[in-house]
Amino acid sequence: MAGPVRRHGRDASRAGAGIATAALRSSLTQPFVPWLAACERRLAESVAGHVPGVSVPAQETLAAGGKRVRPLLLFCAAPRSREAGDDLVCAATAVELVHMATLVHDDLIDGAALRRGRPTVAQERGSEVAIRVGDFLFARAFAELTRAGRPAAVQALAAAALDLSQGEMDQQRAAHDLQLAEEAYLARVRRKTASLFSVACRLGALVGGAGVETQERVAAYGEAVGVAFQIFDDILDIGGAPAATGKARGTDLRGGTVTLPVIRALRIEPGLARDVHAAGCGAAGPDEVEALCARLATHPGMVSARETALGFVASARVALDGPLDGIDPEPLLEIADGVVDRYG
């Protein structure tokens, strides 16, 4: 059985460090560095050479960087006997392009001004361009995945993309709902974030030639890691420093997005509802929102949310128990640990 979450002696102060970057410092994941480099080249090729109105902003989005967690998950979920062939690289590229597309669209919907410390496409070029760029990235994703020659892979990514869109609609419908149930929050997170983690792992196993049972198990691992990742991201939105997260603190609060730390804090201290509502509807000024973030950052609700995230990491570890058709579970466990280290 899986044991407790391991830390591998990493410095927990790197709360905002990229998971993939931190994980690749380990000897367990060093073999995947060339694979990620091949994916990075493929990403650049995929968005270049098209209509400049969408291609240039897409290239700028790519140049802004990213953790590349999803491609790393895909490569780690392939059997050890596999080389980083064109089919796996194209699958990893497709998953990352879908992720990039959702970020462009999400920033537009959320009214976000910054992403990874840079102006968002919507902020810099307007909403119409952001819509077109996001659609372009989605189209390029499926064009890449068809190169892998696996219809089942296309079907799996299409299902994940549908989940992503439904998760975004869930979030919009639940905006400003301070009575939001935890079950509804978790269902949204599974669709909006965890579905892409899950399909990345599934595609690594599927394209790599692993059996159906193994595909299901690594997909379950990916979903659990994705839920934990989002909960920690929601924690960072309140307690993280902008220099580390690349975005203003309290972005979710300002946008009326109710997250698990807030749900737990409101359960413990219902009187916070007035300040949370004021932050979400624009009635609170920047200093007031900052003060609310500082208060929530040390609230027992934050501690409770973190424990829930750790529980999902533990579930991810359990999913990898037993033989996995030649997939080495250790790099995947390393990534799960990196999700924990992201918060510290």
Side-chain angles (χ1 to χ4, degrees), residues 182-297:
E182 285 190 22
E183 293 77 11
Y185 164 85
L186 290 172
R188 179 184 84 205
V189 166
R190 286 189 173 94
R191 288 172 174 164
K192 192 171 184 294
T193 301
S195 61
L196 203 53
F197 279 68
S198 180
V199 80
C201 295
R202 183 184 296 277
L203 292 185
L206 189 162
V207 176
V212 173
E213 181 184 352
T214 294
Q215 293 174 33
E216 293 297 329
R217 287 170 58 200
V218 296
Y221 155 89
E223 179 179 284
V225 166
V227 173
F229 178 94
Q230 185 59 61
I231 295 172
F232 279 127
D233 196 64
D234 293 342
I235 291 170
L236 281 171
D237 182 72
I238 294 169
T245 63
K247 59 182 182 178
R249 190 156 86 147
T251 298
D252 289 335
L253 285 170
R254 291 180 174 91
T257 300
V258 180
T259 60
L260 188 61
V262 174
I263 292 171
R264 294 279 175 84
L266 288 172
R267 180 192 299 170
I268 296 167
E269 189 178 350
L272 284 168
R274 183 183 62 182
D275 291 339
V276 173
H277 175 73
C281 71
D287 291 343
E288 292 170 300
V289 175
E290 182 63 29
L292 177 60
C293 286
R295 185 175 178 185
L296 289 172

